[in-house]
Amino acid sequence: MAVRLDTVLIKTASRCNLDCSYCYVYQGEDTSWKQQPKKMSVETINVLVNRLVEQSQSQSVGFAIVLHGGEPLLLGYERLQYLLKLLRESFNHELYPISLQTNGGLLTKKYLDLFSDMKVSVSVSIDGNRLANDLARVSRSGQSSFDDTVKGIHLLKSHPDNDFLFAGTLSVVQPSISPLDTYNFLKSLGTPSMDFLFQDGNHDKLPLGKISFESTEYGSWMSELLTIYLSDKEPVKIPCIDDIIRLSMGGKSSKEGKGQESFGILIIETDGEIRKNDTLRLSFDGADFFSVRENVRDTPLSRVINSSEFKAVSELQTPTSSTCLNCASLDVCGGGMPLYRWSDQNGYDNPSIFCKDHYIFIENIKSTLHGI
Ligand code: SF4
């Protein structure tokens, strides 16, 4: 049970310069982003950083700070510089890593110099080669984002501080594209790490590329990726696979959504509202609201973190479905991300919609480890 802050995700901008068809923010059930200011104001930044300092004094361990959006660079250079200076005056980078998740299209050398000075690592969203990426990651007018993103990655790679700056790529699995093409393309970009997410979905809205609860398109895709990964003599790190391997050997996961560890995550919206993990948004409109809509302007983060509601959200990681509780892979799978368990009928009291995928992938990893 998490009663501390592990990660604070700051929505510096509530809009995006892309319009990806699978986006959980703009294409999901939730529409509250429309009421948010487009950018976080200087006043909100000041109050937020004070709240984070206050929180750091009330817990013995640090926390990760993630700049997110929408597209976080839409905050603009001056205000981002202001936010980062304020954060770095109070938080050292060892205990308080700052990272930024971007689509890469707005990256410039000036931004990268700032991130280098402020010790901010950058992860770029790209789904693979042009064909894979253009299946969903397009502009509002339907134009490909591929060239701009690849240009951003090349800028990152060519920066003198790229070893620190470039954290890696984050891709949504496109099950119709071969894992080999995806792996080879991302590796060719020189990424130090490639992480993967599944397409959003739940029991009422099947994820793209999945034909039923019983089908295993994603488990097969990941199993193929595992074979490619393990047979590469110079592999590029795949954190989501490393986590499953570690969990299968009795270790812990580094991220939410696997294993039985719970993580204390808070989201700060551009107006300063404190929200639950925003991946819950896909379940229903308002799923990420706390019952009292607190704002950093009036409320210390500790009041939310010590609330029974925060504890309940952290405990959502532990599945309640009897299928999961009796499952041989529960220790490793952990029931998957809560958003994937949702159905209008049972709430989160279901196995993951990716249950069969998780199961065959974990079995694959276990038999591979057994053979070593
Ligand atoms: S594999 Fe399926 S039943 Fe087992 S813990 Fe994961 S979601 Fe639950």
Side-chain angles (χ1 to χ4, degrees):
M1 165 216 345
V3 285
R4 65 174 198 220
L5 184 63
D6 294 304
T7 301
V8 60
L9 198 139
I10 303 174
K11 303 272 183 179
T12 59
S14 66
R15 304 294 196 271
C16 191
N17 53 333
L18 296 186
D19 191 22
C20 304
S21 57
Y22 52 46
C23 180
Y24 68 89
V25 181
Y26 307 113
Q27 310 287 346
E29 298 295 316
D30 177 90
T31 52
S32 63
W33 58 271
K34 291 180 185 168
Q35 274 82 54
Q36 286 293 328
K38 288 184 178 163
K39 302 173 185 189
M40 190 171 269
S41 68
V42 169
E43 293 72 28
T44 304
I45 288 173
N46 290 338
V47 180
L48 170 60
V49 174
N50 284 337
R51 291 299 187 199
L52 291 173
V53 170
E54 208 174 63
Q55 179 58 28
S56 71
Q57 289 160 352
S58 73
Q59 62 180 58
S60 56
V61 291
F63 47 81
I65 300 169
V66 183
L67 306 186
H68 216 271
E71 167 51 51
L73 297 182
L74 286 177
L75 183 62
Y77 182 87
E78 306 293 328
R79 212 173 291 173
L80 200 51
Q81 182 187 43
Y82 181 80
L83 167 64
L84 292 174
K85 275 191 170 165
L86 221 51
L87 285 170
R88 276 290 172 244
E89 274 163 24
S90 303
F91 298 112
N92 68 63
H93 77 271
E94 269 108 19
L95 291 178
Y96 301 91
I98 304 179
S99 59
L100 179 134
Q101 185 67 44
T102 176
N103 59 47
L106 302 174
L107 278 175
T108 58
K109 168 87 167 44
K110 194 173 165 191
Y111 271 124
L112 295 177
D113 289 344
L114 171 67
F115 299 153
S116 176
D117 286 348
M118 299 293 157
K119 284 278 171 207
V120 178
S121 63
V122 179
S123 169
V124 181
S125 303
I126 180 168
D127 290 348
N129 60 20
R130 185 185 293 275
L131 184 62
N133 197 68
D134 289 357
L135 286 174
R137 303 191 60 80
V138 292
S139 70
R140 264 185 224 111
S141 57
Q143 299 301 303
S144 167
S145 62
F146 182 78
D147 290 333
D148 289 344
T149 300
V150 169
K151 200 167 130 207
I153 290 174
H154 287 154
L155 254 183
L156 254 170
K157 277 299 291 175
S158 61
H159 193 279
D161 194 20
N162 79 85
D163 277 350
F164 170 79
L165 281 175
F166 193 11
T169 54
L170 179 63
S171 307
V172 172
V173 170
Q174 289 293 359
S176 62
I177 305 290
S178 106
L180 183 63
D181 288 352
T182 304
Y183 181 86
N184 284 342
F185 176 74
L186 295 173
K187 186 175 177 182
S188 76
L189 291 175
T191 184
S193 160
M194 53 176 96
D195 214 353
F196 293 91
L197 297 169
F198 287 176
Q199 300 267 349
D200 287 343
N202 56 42
H203 289 266
D204 296 322
K205 185 179 177 238
L206 283 176
L208 188 144
K210 191 161 167 64
I211 56 166
S212 74
F213 175 71
E214 299 294 331
S215 67
T216 58
E217 298 87 344
Y218 286 78
S220 304
W221 198 95
M222 288 301 294
S223 298
E224 220 179 306
L225 184 66
L226 173 71
T227 307
I228 296 160
Y229 187 33
L230 296 180
S231 58
D232 188 348
K233 291 195 171 57
E234 291 179 9
V236 177
K237 190 166 66 166
I238 306 181
C240 60
I241 292 185
D242 293 348
D243 270 349
I244 300 282
I245 293 175
R246 203 176 310 112
L247 282 160
S248 301
M249 296 170 75
K252 289 184 174 175
S253 170
S254 64
K255 258 193 186 168
E256 49 160 351
K258 296 179 211 80
Q260 299 203 286
E261 197 92 352
S262 60
F263 292 89
I265 300 169
L266 282 181
I267 312 294
I268 310 297
E269 291 292 331
T270 51
D271 69 347
E273 183 178 346
I274 306 166
R275 297 257 191 111
K276 301 174 186 175
N277 194 335
D278 66 343
T279 59
L280 297 175
R281 283 179 186 197
L282 193 82
S283 308
F284 57 93
D285 202 353
D288 62 330
F289 296 170
F290 283 99
S291 49
V292 179
R293 310 267 306 264
E294 307 278 13
N295 190 296
V296 288
R297 288 166 191 267
D298 323 296
T299 306
L301 297 179
S302 61
R303 193 186 301 164
V304 176
I305 290 165
N306 291 317
S307 69
S308 54
E309 216 178 337
F310 182 79
K311 186 168 168 253
V313 183
S314 300
E315 285 176 354
L316 255 192
Q317 180 54 42
T318 307
T320 51
S321 139
S322 59
T323 316
C324 292
L325 297 178
N326 293 307
C327 173
S329 292
L330 176 62
D331 284 357
V332 180
C333 172
M337 297 273 285
L339 82 144
Y340 299 137
R341 294 182 212 148
W342 178 264
S343 72
D344 288 345
Q345 193 179 349
N346 300 331
Y348 296 105
D349 190 17
N350 298 300
S352 169
I353 191 67
F354 291 110
C355 173
K356 307 297 176 192
D357 302 275
H358 289 314
Y359 196 81
I360 66 157
F361 181 57
I362 292 166
E363 284 302 302
N364 235 313
I365 289 208
K366 284 182 181 167
S367 59
T368 305
L369 290 174
H370 197 67
I372 291 175

